[in-house]
Amino acid sequence: MLETQAIIGVSMKTNKILKVALLPILTVFTLMSAPNTALADYLRSEGFGGEYRYELWSSDDGNDYYLKIWNKDEDPQKDSYSQSGSFESSREALIYFDCNYADKSLPECPK
């Protein structure tokens, strides 16, 4: 009977030590792997103007936008595209497209 109680006592201590030691280790590994999570880009809109079509994409956090631009007769799924630089807003990106590809004369377009 004493042997059984001793074994249970040792087992409970071991269990407690494992819980106390394992939890911080698992927490550290979780925190270390979180920043390495892949970010995705999201398709926000698409359209066309002039002789071109576009897709407006944003970063995962919504802080950066960019355009993928094709000739309007090309297939976005198959043909290569040009990619614009980075924009701070979707509005800024679409004005860029309208001024530089759709040949629109907007007040925002550079003269």
Side-chain angles (χ1 to χ4, degrees), residues 16-102:
K16 196 173 200 176
I17 291 171
L18 283 176
K19 285 181 184 178
V20 170
L22 215 51
L23 186 59
I25 291 170
L26 290 175
T27 302
V28 168
F29 283 125
T30 302
L31 292 174
M32 288 175 58
S33 66
N36 296 328
T37 304
L39 299 177
D41 288 347
Y42 295 97
L43 178 62
R44 297 297 180 181
S45 69
E46 51 191 322
F48 62 92
E51 296 295 313
Y52 299 92
R53 69 173 61 225
Y54 71 86
E55 289 180 349
L56 175 64
W57 291 78
S58 75
S59 60
D60 190 43
D61 59 9
N63 289 330
D64 294 308
Y65 293 84
Y66 63 92
L67 293 165
K68 292 182 180 180
I69 301 168
W70 294 265
N71 182 297
K72 73 175 185 177
D73 298 325
E74 293 177 341
D75 183 353
Q77 302 299 321
K78 296 179 184 174
D79 296 317
S80 62
Y81 58 88
S82 64
Q83 185 170 319
S84 70
S86 180
F87 302 98
E88 292 182 5
S89 69
S90 59
R91 180 178 186 275
E92 185 181 327
L94 295 175
I95 288 171
Y96 173 84
F97 178 83
D98 286 343
C99 294
N100 295 288
Y101 291 92

